[in-house]
Amino acid sequence: MMNRILGSILFLMGLAIPLSAQNTKPIGLNEVLVKVQESNANIKISEFELAEAKADYAMGNAIFLPNISVSHTGMATTNPLMAFGSKLNQEILTQADFNPQLLNDPDQIQNYATRVTIEQPLVNVDGYFQRKAAKLTMLARELQFERTKDYLAFEATNAYMQLQLAHKRVEVLGKALKAAKANEAMVAVRYDQGLLQKADLLQAKVRANEVENQLVSAQSAIGNASDYLAFLMHEGNTQNYAPISELAPVGEGLGLNESDIGNRADVRAMQLVSKAHQSNYKADKMTFLPRLNAFGSYELFDDDIFQADAQGYTFGASLRWDIFQGSKRFAKVKKSRANYKKAQIEYENYRSKSAMELQKAKRMLLDAKNRMNTSALALQQSEETLQIRSNRFEQGLEGTTDLLRAEAQYAQKELEYYQTIYEYNYAFSYHNFLTKG
């Protein structure tokens, strides 16, 4: 009998060592949010997608800015026309070069030409709408980038709450295991005294083993929650995290966001995407109009490389009108119109679905709050019941089964209470995420 009591005391002393003494790193929610915003891979990807959209918009400046190119070309020829023209460009043509024999069968001549060419768009209507579409796409990417950061903040907050819940489960089950072991020791003493049956002792042992297994699972949940937090923060994780704040209702003293669903970043982004498709549709229709461009070139010629004994320039304007390109442009207009109409429907559907999700989130928040309040009362009632059962058992007025049932029910109600706190906190954060403008 004394060996059983001593063993139980040593076990309880071992459980008294706090979990924080293990290989855990304390971490706060603000630290998590900062690291996620700075290092999360999805945010980095979204940032590069935004940079890509900005570059596409910058390419649209080509409809306003000139194209300038410089080239240097060297060649040798005996082609009659090119040989005569090269001499003419080099300003070395003489009266003798008009000899028919030399004109028909010229000697080889070298020609080196340096050209500076400028092309300036003047009227490019389809290009204007393409640039507008690129700008709308860029603005949509900016909003999507902001929404990605909002979502990762919500996801990180939820992961942190899961970590809080996992630690709370370990704390509750640790206390439950202490109580189960204490009950087992008490039952063992009475069994040795001949006051209880062996079935009572086995029942107490089974209860202690069940709680111990639950505690092991809860400790594994801490590892899983810690790994996910490390993933969100883009860190290599080799240890568990311990939250520096307790799991408690977050809605106390905090207000709910009540902004209109249409002001949300992702909804506005979908609207801009629809408008971008509309601009692309207009741009494709404008390809049937002519384009007006100005051009000019400055040329340097010589028969030696990188020399410029002769020079000349050319400038003018070009009006180009592609009347018919098979059925290519007609098909492209139909395709862009279909994309525009599809984007319109997608925007309306996304907005309608978002409004439905918000209503669902409001109901979920109300239900979670009711469950949390009910769970708090149930916990209080089970605590009172356990106290009464324990007192009666010590007086020999209560059976082992009733005591163990009351102890198990109390532990279960405490776990359920903290689970409902987590569900309420999640519903509160999710509602505010859905209404964040």
Side-chain angles (χ1 to χ4, degrees):
M1 181 178 69
M2 292 301 298
N3 290 336
R4 287 195 182 99
I5 296 175
L6 180 61
S8 298
I9 293 174
L10 292 175
F11 179 82
L12 294 176
M13 290 176 63
L15 285 178
I17 301 175
L19 288 173
S20 59
Q22 300 177 8
N23 185 26
T24 58
K25 175 184 176 182
I27 194 169
L29 178 58
N30 289 336
E31 180 182 354
V32 171
L33 294 177
V34 169
K35 288 186 177 181
V36 167
Q37 295 297 318
E38 290 178 349
S39 305
N40 183 266
N42 287 331
I43 291 180
K44 294 293 183 183
I45 292 172
S46 183
E47 189 174 2
F48 284 118
E49 289 176 345
L50 174 58
E52 181 183 356
K54 288 182 177 180
D56 288 338
Y57 175 58
M59 285 191 293
N61 292 332
I63 65 172
F64 302 114
L65 302 178
N67 294 326
I68 302 175
S69 61
V70 179
S71 65
H72 184 80
T73 305
M75 72 172 187
T77 183
T78 58
N79 180 281
L81 182 61
M82 295 187 66
F84 185 83
S86 297
K87 285 187 175 183
L88 190 62
N89 284 333
Q90 295 172 14
E91 300 179 0
I92 58 174
L93 199 64
T94 63
Q95 186 67 35
D97 291 314
F98 287 92
N99 184 336
Q101 184 176 355
L102 290 177
L103 288 174
N104 292 325
D105 188 16
D107 296 329
Q108 177 179 296
I109 185 171
Q110 288 78 30
N111 183 56
Y112 298 93
T114 301
R115 290 184 175 86
V116 179
T117 304
I118 299 177
E119 295 179 351
Q120 174 63 56
L122 297 179
V123 178
N124 187 351
V125 181
D126 60 316
Y128 296 144
F129 285 103
Q130 288 174 351
R131 186 173 184 270
K132 183 179 179 180
K135 182 178 181 180
L136 291 169
T137 302
M138 179 191 69
L139 295 176
R141 286 290 188 185
E142 289 179 349
L143 292 172
Q144 289 170 349
F145 176 57
E146 292 300 320
R147 190 60 177 173
T148 299
K149 293 195 294 184
D150 291 341
Y151 171 74
L152 267 300
F154 162 72
E155 188 69 9
T157 301
N158 182 40
Y160 189 81
M161 292 189 299
Q162 289 177 342
L163 181 68
Q164 289 176 317
L165 178 62
H167 275 273
K168 212 62 182 174
R169 288 180 62 85
V170 169
E171 178 185 331
V172 171
L173 290 171
K175 293 188 299 182
L177 185 55
K178 289 181 184 180
K181 285 293 183 180
N183 290 335
E184 180 186 352
M186 189 185 308
V187 171
V189 171
R190 294 196 175 187
Y191 170 73
D192 291 338
Q193 294 174 345
L195 300 176
L196 295 175
Q197 301 294 322
K198 188 175 182 179
D200 295 321
L201 179 59
L202 292 176
Q203 189 177 18
K205 288 181 177 295
V206 169
R207 170 58 186 164
N209 287 335
E210 288 177 348
V211 176
E212 193 169 0
N213 291 335
Q214 291 176 353
L215 180 58
V216 171
S217 297
Q219 289 170 338
S220 297
I222 290 179
N224 295 336
S226 298
D227 290 343
Y228 188 53
L229 267 182
F231 168 75
L232 291 176
M233 295 185 291
H234 202 61
E235 290 185 349
N237 187 38
T238 58
Q239 60 186 350
N240 290 335
Y241 293 113
I244 62 176
S245 58
E246 291 287 333
L247 180 63
V250 298
E252 303 297 331
L254 297 177
L256 291 171
N257 293 333
E258 296 294 345
S259 61
D260 181 70
I261 198 74
N263 294 327
R264 214 170 70 187
D266 56 331
V267 177
R268 287 187 289 151
M270 288 291 293
Q271 185 179 28
L272 289 176
V273 169
S274 175
K275 291 182 178 179
H277 281 289
Q278 182 183 26
S279 291
N280 281 326
Y281 171 47
K282 291 180 179 179
D284 289 337
K285 290 196 297 183
M286 293 301 107
T287 57
F288 290 94
L289 299 179
R291 297 181 178 182
L292 179 62
N293 299 308
F295 63 88
S297 65
Y298 183 70
E299 302 166 333
L300 303 172
F301 301 98
D302 205 284
D303 56 356
D304 291 324
I305 189 170
F306 298 125
Q307 300 296 317
D309 288 343
Q311 59 187 4
Y313 63 83
T314 304
F315 67 89
S318 172
L319 180 65
R320 179 182 177 85
W321 194 356
D322 293 329
I323 302 298
F324 185 69
Q325 294 181 347
S327 62
K328 176 182 176 181
R329 285 185 299 180
F330 294 101
K332 192 174 182 181
V333 169
K334 290 182 179 179
K335 180 181 178 179
S336 61
R337 182 181 183 276
N339 286 334
Y340 166 51
K341 295 299 182 181
K342 182 181 73 172
Q344 276 187 314
I345 296 175
E346 287 176 341
Y347 164 65
E348 295 297 337
N349 184 63
Y350 188 82
R351 178 163 180 163
S352 177
K353 183 179 179 181
S354 298
M356 179 192 68
E357 289 177 348
L358 178 57
Q359 294 302 318
K360 182 180 177 180
K362 289 180 178 179
R363 289 188 289 268
M364 181 174 67
L365 178 60
L366 181 60
D367 292 342
K369 187 173 183 179
N370 292 335
R371 285 197 303 269
M372 182 178 65
N373 293 335
T374 302
S375 180
L377 293 175
L379 176 61
Q380 184 179 359
Q381 185 271 334
S382 63
E383 185 178 13
E384 292 291 335
T385 301
L386 176 60
Q387 186 64 40
I388 294 173
R389 298 287 187 190
S390 299
N391 292 338
R392 290 175 60 84
F393 181 80
E394 292 175 359
Q395 298 170 8
L397 302 175
E398 200 74 58
T400 305
T401 301
D402 294 330
L403 174 63
L404 294 178
R405 184 185 297 115
E407 182 269 323
Q409 185 179 28
Y410 174 69
Q412 183 64 32
K413 292 302 179 182
E414 193 171 8
L415 290 174
E416 290 177 359
Y417 173 63
Y418 287 113
Q419 177 68 30
T420 57
I421 290 179
Y422 163 75
E423 291 174 357
Y424 171 73
N425 289 350
Y426 174 83
F428 184 88
S429 298
Y430 183 56
H431 177 276
N432 280 353
F433 167 70
L434 291 180
T435 54
K436 184 175 177 58

